[in-house]
Amino acid sequence: MTEPDRLRELADEFGTPLYLYDLDRLDDARRDLFGWLPEEFEVFYALKANPHVDLVRALRGGEGRTCRAEISSTGELAAALEAGHDPARILYTGPGKTPGELREAIGLGVRLFSAESLGDLEHIGAAALAQDAVAECLLRINDATAQAATGVRMTGRPTQFGIDSETLADLAPRLRSVPGTSLAGLHLFSQSNATDEDALIAEFRHTIDVAARIEAELGVPLRLLDIGGGFASPYGQHGRRTAYPNLRAALEAALDTRFPQWRQGTPRLAVESGRYLVGDCGTLLASVTNVKTGRGRTFVVLDAGINTFGGLSGLGRILPVSVRPGPGGAAETRRVTLAGPLCTPGDTLGRDVEVPADLGPGDRVAIPNTGAYGPTASLLMFLGRPAPAEVVVRDGDVVSVSRIEHVRTYRKVAGEHD
Ligand SMILES: *Cc1c(COP(=O)(O)O)cnc(C)c1O
């Protein structure tokens, strides 16, 4: 069966909008990412990109190297545990960890945290102490001199993330002595979606230099150094994951210089990734509900809008869709605005998107590279449409079909009679 036929069959069976996740492609991404790195590296999968349990489980297990879980909420913790992750090996991150979630995470066995500030570290320590535990903490650093030139810059400017590097020397005595915590290392995350390998290498080199300097300033040995990520994958557009053929040698050289014992595990090393691991395993199938012209522009209205995909990224994102093969070679195409079903002009998936000229109601479109930042990064509840179906396949066979449900639950209030 051809790919378009297969997609049409799935859309017929399970309805649209529908996310299709192919675990064989996910395996390829995991294998590639480990392949770009020195063998000693561990990879944390950031569940933020897609917390679907089947994907999390596939990244953890199976053939090849296993990804650890990086989480930022108790919801993601539940997904990681359901996927079989050992809580003691999960990394818990985020700038606003509440006492309640810390209590729950420590109660469930999480022992490794990224601390974003002295206050955050103290909260982690208090929660650990209350349960007679010691929390291993990575200090997340906002390096004053981060030099990311591509992607989304995360450090070097004022943010809620990390401890300003220039304050570390003064803070060190207090950071070292928070009851219930043990400083285990450093966490730096300076960019996302780096499509330029040289820029990524430069950033990692810089990060390794910074970490070596900070180790001296803090006066504690690094056991684990998480140098962040930035591995790129296209988002809702055609294209392939970025290749990093020179990364491994560059990292080895930088580490040999700054951390001569790294091959013996001092420090242990890690990177983290979301989109690279899951982005290209996903395809979003949607149906055309209507085609109309308005003031000379053609609008193709789909049953999937920013409630299904891309709610996070706002307006005007261009999402080229793959086209149905026309009879007898290349079908004629035309450029249209792709709109979703919501009652807001913000529900536009793309302008000037090339689609088959005869695309009409009932036809399907497939949007590639939608495995990361899909349903859970969308405005799922806005205007009250059902969440998309999510279908997972392995070796061409459907292994699960699911849908996120939202329900409002009431609790009794004073004065209420039953
Ligand atoms: C979002 C995030 C990631 C994942 O980013 P990708 O661009 O999807 O790889 C990793 N680490 C941290 C700290 C993050 O906030």
Side-chain angles (χ1 to χ4, degrees):
M1 199 186 298
T2 65
E3 178 74 5
D5 285 343
R6 171 78 174 141
L7 295 179
R8 202 170 299 130
E9 189 185 80
L10 288 168
D12 286 343
E13 185 167 359
F14 301 111
T16 60
L18 179 155
Y19 276 90
L20 176 66
Y21 304 122
D22 184 337
L23 296 183
D24 300 314
R25 299 185 66 119
L26 179 132
D27 286 349
D28 291 345
R30 181 182 58 172
R31 193 197 53 230
D32 287 350
L33 183 53
F34 275 110
W36 304 132
L37 297 165
E39 254 166 47
E40 291 81 353
F41 270 70
E42 294 193 287
V43 173
F44 284 99
Y45 170 55
L47 268 71
K48 178 178 69 181
N50 192 329
H52 194 303
V53 172
D54 291 350
L55 274 57
V56 180
R57 188 183 292 116
L59 286 169
R60 177 184 67 78
E63 282 164 39
R65 313 261 302 275
T66 177
C67 294
R68 294 172 68 174
E70 175 169 333
I71 60 168
S72 200
S73 69
T74 50
E76 290 186 348
L77 173 57
L81 294 178
E82 193 183 337
H85 277 286
D86 173 0
R89 289 180 51 76
I90 291 173
L91 172 61
Y92 204 116
T93 69
K97 305 175 202 77
T98 64
E101 72 181 294
L102 287 168
R103 191 185 322 122
E104 184 173 338
I106 288 166
L108 288 168
V110 177
R111 288 294 178 273
L112 181 62
F113 293 84
S114 170
E116 306 254 5
S117 61
L118 177 59
D120 192 33
L121 186 67
E122 288 169 345
H123 295 161
I124 297 165
L129 215 53
Q131 301 186 49
D132 288 325
V134 176
E136 305 270 318
C137 292
L138 307 179
L139 297 178
R140 182 158 173 189
I141 306 300
N142 180 1
D143 177 40
T145 55
Q147 54 169 29
T150 58
V152 184
R153 287 194 60 166
M154 302 287 286
T155 61
R157 54 177 187 192
T159 79
Q160 66 269 54
F161 302 108
I163 303 170
D164 291 345
S165 53
E166 63 276 20
T167 66
L168 276 170
D170 286 344
L171 278 177
R174 294 170 70 193
L175 293 167
R176 277 199 307 261
S177 58
V178 175
T181 69
S182 155
L183 292 191
L186 298 175
H187 176 202
L188 294 96
F189 182 77
S190 56
Q191 64 180 340
S192 246
N193 214 23
T195 51
D196 176 347
E197 181 179 34
D198 291 339
L200 187 72
I201 287 173
E203 189 66 30
F204 280 150
R205 244 190 227 126
H206 180 72
T207 295
I208 289 165
D209 289 349
V210 167
R213 198 193 69 223
I214 290 176
E215 177 177 41
E217 271 176 16
L218 275 179
V220 285
L222 287 187
R223 281 177 280 143
L224 175 61
L225 172 59
D226 177 347
I227 63 171
F231 307 100
S233 185
Y235 183 55
Q237 305 185 1
H238 288 291
R240 294 186 50 78
R241 283 181 273 112
T242 302
Y244 301 98
N246 303 307
L247 179 60
R248 183 184 175 123
L251 284 173
E252 289 176 348
L255 289 163
D256 284 341
T257 307
R258 296 293 178 191
F259 295 103
Q261 300 297 309
W262 73 279
R263 290 174 200 270
Q264 286 76 52
T266 312
R268 286 181 291 120
L269 290 143
V271 295
E272 49 199 27
S273 173
R275 71 188 68 224
Y276 187 92
L277 289 166
V278 295
D280 85 352
C281 84
T283 305
L284 171 58
L285 298 175
S287 299
V288 176
T289 44
N290 201 6
V291 178
K292 62 160 285 190
T293 47
R295 298 269 144 72
R297 188 188 292 208
T298 304
F299 292 84
V300 170
V301 185
L302 302 176
D303 60 2
I306 55 176
N307 57 331
T308 305
F309 181 67
L312 185 72
S313 50
L315 317 181
R317 185 171 285 274
I318 305 300
L319 298 173
V321 299
S322 72
V323 301
R324 290 178 300 126
E332 274 201 37
T333 63
R334 61 173 172 167
R335 296 191 165 270
V336 303
T337 295
L338 267 192
L342 307 186
C343 305
T344 162
D347 194 15
T348 302
L349 289 183
R351 297 191 177 82
D352 257 349
V353 179
E354 192 169 5
V355 301
D358 61 351
L359 194 67
D363 289 340
R364 273 36 178 284
V365 295
I367 303 179
N369 289 314
T370 47
Y373 305 109
T376 60
S378 299
L379 302 178
L380 268 185
M381 295 195 66
F382 195 35
L383 279 131
R385 286 171 180 268
E390 296 179 79
V391 177
V392 180
V393 299
R394 154 94 63 205
D395 295 330
D397 293 329
V398 172
V399 296
S400 81
V401 182
S402 64
R403 185 191 305 277
I404 295 171
E405 292 281 356
H406 293 284
V407 287
R408 184 187 301 278
T409 54
Y410 285 89
R411 50 182 267 188
K412 286 226 169 88
V413 294
E416 188 184 342
H417 303 286
D418 51 12

